[in-house]
Amino acid sequence: MEPFLRIINIPMTSIEKLKFLSEDQVRSIAKQYGTPVFVYSQSEIQKKIDEALHFPNAFGLQVRYAMKASPNVNILKMMQAKGVLIDASSEHEVTRAIAAGFAPSSIMLTSQQFPKELESIVKSGVMFNACSLRQLEAYGQSFPGKEVSLRFNPGLGSGHTKKTDVGGVTSSFGIWHEKLMDVQAIVSKYNLKVTKVHTHIGSGSDPEVWKAVAKYTLEYAEAFPDVTVVSLGGGYKVGRMADEKSTDLQKIGEPVKQLFVEFSEKFGRKLVLEIEPGTYLVALCAALITTIDDKIDTGKNGFTFLKLDTGMDANTRPSLYGARHPLVTVKQDPSVKIEKVEEYVVVGHCCESGDVFTQKEGGEPITRPMQTAELGDFVVMEAVGAYCSAMSTKNYNSFPETQEVLLTSTGEIKLIRKKQEIPEIYRNEISVF
């Protein structure tokens, strides 16, 4: 009996398309490296870097890459080549950035956990961004009279879900804005020199919220006369799906630029603007090529499922907060013409109920209209450059770390992360039997 399929009357033109790869490239890469495999585009990353470097500013701009988004050494080196600085979220990322060639002075450490090796990190030249009163106190005890950056929670946040909103009363990130006097007391106690103030409101920032937070952050700068840099964090909205729009950096930046001008006119201080994109710089610049391993259905009133040879061990964003990624069918046989659109629930290979690539936030599976797909065909998952390989549930079910390749600006394909050997997964285990 043929499996039940929901064939729907949706025009081919409305189906998601490949972003930077051709179908022939998909087949060629899959043949050479196998699947699953991440493919990053050097040209697309460089284009996004250039866009960020042209962010509107009044008195200077610093672009700082949130390396947690995608820390492969090759991506870090692309950032470094264009003068982008590093935002590190742990002392381990500091080590990784230095190993990639970044000078310590080009790195800022903004860490939820107080770094165990703070003394050596700061002495090397890394800037410390204090995220709590406890962190500031401990820093002051170790480095009285030294420069420091301060991260504030401005009381506002923005994100496409609460899980990507890192501002407001539900967020533990940063020093609560009403504790400004406590901050000033610690700064005075240890004679610290505050040279930067920083806020971060979340991923997918609302332009109006971002403008309001910029205003508040400048007020924090007003309270510390040695501040020369104001860092406005917050991942700009990236339209991964065809029905989503990406943030226009010029549009969002102009009102903020004017706020810096007004601050200068009022206080005679020309502050440098710092932004710290992660998602914006890499999200749309990578694709994950997968193969359909199985295709099943759950009857007339159920669904048709495509089972891929990848899962949450490569991209956990859908299972974590219902994130959507374009899914594009590429026929294994180039002579086969796709003429139908069908609805599928697309799932991963992990033995885990949450390993579903087409789901609502909360876990309910939903269908996705796609071009007809069969066993052995490829499904290309687009817009996986940020918080996918870096944030996956690596080695769950003992699946090896997914390999990565780079499509260079000259059209070459180069391996930049080899597939993990199975013994590497359990190398650090110690048998006591």
Side-chain angles (χ1 to χ4, degrees):
M1 180 181 294
E2 288 295 317
F4 175 77
L5 296 174
R6 285 187 177 88
I7 300 176
I8 50 180
N9 188 25
I10 294 179
M12 286 287 193
T13 54
S14 65
I15 301 301
E16 296 284 350
K17 296 178 175 59
L18 296 174
K19 294 189 181 297
F20 61 86
L21 291 170
S22 68
E23 290 192 356
D24 284 341
Q25 285 177 314
V26 170
R27 284 185 281 262
S28 175
I29 293 170
K31 181 178 180 180
Q32 182 176 356
Y33 294 97
T35 62
V37 57
F38 283 101
V39 185
Y40 296 84
S41 168
Q42 180 180 7
S43 296
E44 292 298 312
I45 292 173
Q46 290 174 332
K47 176 183 174 183
K48 290 299 181 183
I49 294 172
D50 289 340
E51 289 177 6
L53 290 171
H54 285 87
F55 195 92
N57 65 90
F59 309 111
L61 174 73
Q62 293 179 174
V63 177
R64 196 173 287 276
Y65 175 53
M67 65 176 284
K68 60 184 177 178
S70 191
N72 186 289
V73 63
N74 296 279
I75 293 175
L76 296 180
K77 287 182 178 294
M78 279 187 259
M79 301 293 169
Q80 184 186 37
K82 286 185 172 286
V84 175
L85 309 176
I86 287 294
D87 169 45
S89 296
S90 72
E91 57 195 298
H92 311 299
E93 284 194 341
V94 169
T95 300
R96 197 168 180 175
I98 292 174
F102 280 90
S105 59
S106 66
I107 303 169
M108 180 174 73
L109 174 59
T110 307
S111 178
Q112 277 285 83
Q113 176 181 311
F114 191 75
K116 293 181 173 63
E117 302 298 329
L118 178 66
E119 187 169 342
S120 61
I121 288 172
V122 173
K123 286 183 177 179
S124 74
V126 172
M127 169 165 276
F128 181 66
N129 192 21
C131 299
S132 71
L133 294 179
R134 181 254 171 171
Q135 287 192 4
L136 183 60
E137 180 80 30
Y139 180 85
Q141 290 174 358
S142 298
F143 301 101
K146 195 167 180 64
E147 294 183 359
V148 70
S149 175
L150 301 174
R151 175 174 181 169
F152 286 96
N153 180 336
L156 289 174
S158 178
H160 73 277
T161 78
K162 288 304 296 180
K163 292 182 180 180
T164 59
D165 184 337
V166 295
V169 296
T170 61
S171 173
S172 66
F173 294 90
I175 303 168
W176 186 243
H177 63 99
E178 293 176 336
K179 298 184 182 295
L180 180 59
M181 292 183 66
D182 296 326
V183 173
Q184 290 175 314
I186 296 173
V187 168
S188 177
K189 178 180 178 181
Y190 296 105
N191 193 32
L192 296 173
K193 186 176 181 181
V194 180
T195 57
K196 181 193 293 187
V197 290
H198 168 258
T199 54
H200 191 297
I201 60 174
S203 179
S205 302
D206 182 307
E208 289 304 313
V209 175
W210 202 73
K211 179 182 176 182
V213 171
K215 181 177 182 297
Y216 298 147
T217 311
L218 286 168
E219 291 177 359
Y220 309 145
E222 180 183 343
F224 299 99
D226 293 320
V227 167
T228 58
V229 179
V230 169
S231 181
L232 300 176
Y236 311 115
K237 173 65 179 175
V238 170
R240 291 177 171 84
M241 304 292 292
D243 61 358
E244 298 175 332
K245 290 186 177 181
S246 295
T247 299
D248 183 330
L249 298 190
Q250 294 299 313
K251 184 176 181 180
I252 195 176
E254 281 300 331
V256 173
K257 173 183 174 181
Q258 187 56 38
L259 290 175
F260 276 64
V261 171
E262 292 171 4
F263 183 93
S264 175
E265 292 172 348
K266 185 175 181 180
F267 299 103
R269 296 162 59 189
K270 295 182 178 181
L271 303 178
V272 173
L273 169 65
E274 181 174 281
I275 58 175
E276 49 178 27
T279 298
Y280 191 89
L281 294 178
V282 292
L284 301 180
C285 307
L288 177 60
I289 302 176
T290 75
T291 301
I292 298 173
D293 179 70
D294 206 347
K295 181 178 180 180
I296 70 166
D297 73 278
T298 49
K300 186 174 182 179
N301 297 316
F303 302 99
T304 299
F305 295 83
L306 297 182
K307 295 184 178 183
L308 306 183
D309 66 347
T310 191
M312 60 198 297
D313 56 299
N315 179 9
T316 194
R317 294 185 73 250
S319 61
L320 188 62
Y321 37 69
R324 297 190 300 161
H325 289 266
L327 299 168
V328 184
T329 304
V330 175
K331 303 302 287 185
Q332 183 181 35
D333 183 349
S335 67
V336 176
K337 186 177 180 181
I338 302 178
E339 297 179 340
K340 293 190 296 184
V341 174
E342 299 171 0
E343 281 191 82
Y344 300 114
V345 175
V346 183
V347 301
H349 59 185
C350 290
C351 186
E352 173 61 53
S353 60
D355 193 11
V356 180
F357 290 121
T358 55
Q359 64 172 282
K360 296 179 181 178
E361 185 182 3
E364 180 185 351
I366 55 176
T367 59
R368 178 77 63 83
M370 296 171 58
Q371 294 175 325
T372 305
E374 304 295 343
L375 265 66
D377 286 340
F378 305 112
V379 171
V380 179
M381 188 179 303
E382 289 284 4
V384 295
Y387 302 99
C388 292
S389 173
M391 195 174 67
S392 67
T393 55
K394 287 186 173 96
N395 298 151
Y396 186 51
N397 290 176
S398 294
F399 281 110
E401 188 175 48
T402 304
Q403 59 192 330
E404 303 178 8
V405 300
L406 178 69
L407 173 60
T408 70
S409 55
T410 59
E412 298 177 274
I413 299 293
K414 294 186 176 181
L415 184 67
I416 60 172
R417 182 191 298 278
K418 64 182 180 179
K419 184 177 180 179
Q420 188 179 30
E421 299 294 332
I422 299 302
E424 291 293 307
I425 297 174
Y426 52 86
R427 181 183 61 179
N428 293 331
E429 295 176 6
I430 301 173
S431 175
V432 296
F433 299 103

